[in-house]
Amino acid sequence: MLIKRPADIKSSEITPERVYFNRRAFMQGAAAAGSLAATTGLYYLFAGINRRPPSAPGPRPLATVIPSDPALTTEEPPTDYDDITHYNNFYEFSTAKHDVAYESQALVTRPWTVVVGGLVNRPRTFDVDDLIRLFPLEERVYRLRCVEGWSMVIPWVGFPLSGLLKLVEPLGAAQFVAFETLHDPKQFPLQRSRLLDWPYREGLRLDEALHPLTLLAVGLYGKTLPNQNGAPLRLVVPWKYGFKSIKSIVRITVTDRMPRTTWREAAPHEYGFYANVNPQVSHPRWSQATERRIGEFTRRPTLLFNGYADQVASLYAGLDLRKFY
Ligand code: MTE
């Protein structure tokens, strides 16, 4: 992946005083929140990375958000909203993480159609708002571990992918699920380049796709997804490296073949289909033993399956995790 090695991350990219924008802090009062927002805003203003074109609509509050099953959400403090929304990988827009927020503001996310088909009894084409209305929206606070060696904690809002798959009824022959991002070079400037083989594609085994942790996210921090985080609909698979969590999805196809996936095709010796977080399997160019949690100063150990081993290890019983990385 085109990345900055951890050693190349300048100290100026780290906010001097971390201000947690978590719900508890938020509830402590509007005055405190106002001053937090001003502090954070000033930081980004001076850093020159909070440049939203004035015409772009910002994220809107999401109506019904039900708390999640405590077994499916972490109590760890969420990463700052500004970090989650200004340190992004979205190669259709830019390879520079701090530029994605600005470059993505013009993406038109309504109307938006999601085609769900393949080996299913009931293929359907959804308007994204109709799709979102079909499911109760849950908040799920998940760790996100990027293959590059950084991590965040993100309070997503969404619904389990299993709900959608059950609706379309996979056939007995189904074994995998394939996902595709919108292909529209007019809106995604780097789709005019040959940086990757567009559109961005990802895939899961059917049992991974049906796992209760596997989420279709439509928001974060109680609001609709900012464009840079994959509006209007993206996948989140918290025990796998972040590149599996494909953004701005328009097509979901149930299939009997292992799907083509973008990074595996770009560099098969570096990125596998499974991409399960594993501190013992190094990337050919760097170790995966530790990670930098955005907002922290020292590195911390990376956990097998990103700390979700209790929930997901059984999916891989008998599989050689070094061979199927
Ligand atoms: N999806 C698309 N369509 N294009 C991308 O470049 N980057 C992936 C993933 N999904 C990517 C994508 C990578 S490498 C990561 S780490 C996560 O999105 C980052 O998600 P975030 O920007 O919301 O933190």
Side-chain angles (χ1 to χ4, degrees):
M1 206 163 284
L2 311 164
I3 65 147
K4 271 188 178 176
R5 305 288 294 273
D8 300 333
I9 296 169
K10 290 187 245 108
S11 58
S12 60
E13 289 179 18
I14 302 166
T15 309
E17 283 183 29
R18 305 309 311 166
V19 188
Y20 283 120
F21 183 71
N22 65 21
R23 282 162 296 165
R24 282 171 290 268
F26 190 68
M27 297 306 282
Q28 280 165 9
S35 100
L36 291 185
T39 311
T40 314
L42 272 180
Y43 168 75
Y44 282 105
L45 189 67
F46 284 113
I49 54 180
N50 196 14
R51 305 165 292 145
R52 174 187 294 153
S55 57
R60 291 167 288 109
L62 276 164
T64 43
V65 179
I66 57 167
S68 180
D69 177 346
L72 299 176
T73 197
T74 173
E75 288 290 305
E76 288 171 70
T79 303
D80 284 1
Y81 184 79
D82 281 298
D83 284 331
I84 296 173
T85 56
H86 288 86
Y87 190 81
N88 300 103
N89 277 339
F90 202 160
Y91 281 14
E92 286 85 340
F93 289 112
S94 174
T95 55
K97 291 177 175 42
H98 288 309
D99 289 346
V100 173
Y102 180 78
E103 298 295 340
S104 63
Q105 289 313 305
L107 177 67
V108 177
T109 59
R110 296 293 189 286
W112 189 276
T113 303
V114 183
V115 179
V116 188
L119 296 178
V120 297
N121 261 325
R122 299 177 184 278
R124 298 237 336 233
T125 297
F126 296 94
D127 168 77
V128 76
D129 290 313
D130 294 340
L131 175 62
I132 294 169
R133 273 192 287 271
L134 288 177
F135 304 97
L137 297 182
E138 295 178 37
E139 183 175 76
R140 297 273 186 96
V141 186
Y142 283 165
R143 293 175 289 276
L144 173 94
R145 168 63 155 85
C146 178
V147 74
E148 297 163 350
W150 54 267
S151 65
M152 297 190 187
V153 177
I154 304 184
W156 300 108
V157 177
F159 56 90
L161 173 62
S162 63
L164 173 57
L165 291 175
K166 282 172 192 158
L167 207 68
V168 296
E169 300 176 9
L171 299 174
Q175 290 185 53
F176 294 93
V177 184
F179 305 85
E180 271 180 38
T181 295
L182 176 69
H183 190 222
D184 183 354
K186 286 205 182 88
Q187 296 209 70
F188 291 129
L190 290 195
Q191 284 186 347
R192 286 173 235 146
S193 79
R194 301 180 64 177
L195 178 71
L196 292 170
D197 183 18
W198 310 109
Y200 196 100
R201 296 183 184 87
E202 258 311 331
L204 295 172
R205 264 182 6 203
L206 183 61
D207 58 346
E208 296 175 324
L210 290 172
H211 192 280
L213 282 169
T214 305
L215 201 69
L216 281 174
V218 298
L220 60 85
Y221 266 111
K223 294 188 262 182
T224 50
L225 278 180
N227 289 351
Q228 60 267 35
N229 294 96
L233 181 83
R234 59 117 23 113
L235 183 69
V236 183
V237 194
W239 72 94
K240 293 178 178 284
Y241 291 118
F243 68 84
K244 298 293 289 183
S245 293
I246 180 173
K247 297 177 170 182
S248 305
I249 295 170
V250 291
R251 187 178 296 277
I252 300 177
T253 310
V254 177
T255 165
D256 54 359
R257 306 234 171 108
M258 185 177 276
R260 297 174 58 190
T261 56
T262 294
W263 282 105
R264 187 173 181 228
E265 288 195 348
H269 53 294
E270 299 195 355
Y271 307 105
F273 175 80
Y274 282 92
N276 290 319
V277 175
N278 191 337
Q280 278 154 22
V281 177
S282 297
H283 184 278
R285 290 184 277 132
W286 60 88
S287 159
Q288 295 291 22
T290 64
E291 65 200 55
R292 186 175 76 97
R293 177 71 51 88
I294 300 300
E296 293 180 355
F297 292 96
T298 52
R299 295 182 74 81
R300 50 163 70 210
T302 286
L303 303 175
L304 181 61
F305 298 115
N306 202 21
Y308 297 96
D310 285 352
Q311 290 103 314
V312 302
S314 60
L315 292 173
Y316 309 104
L319 197 74
D320 180 349
L321 295 176
R322 287 190 174 272
K323 199 164 159 211
F324 296 94
Y325 58 90

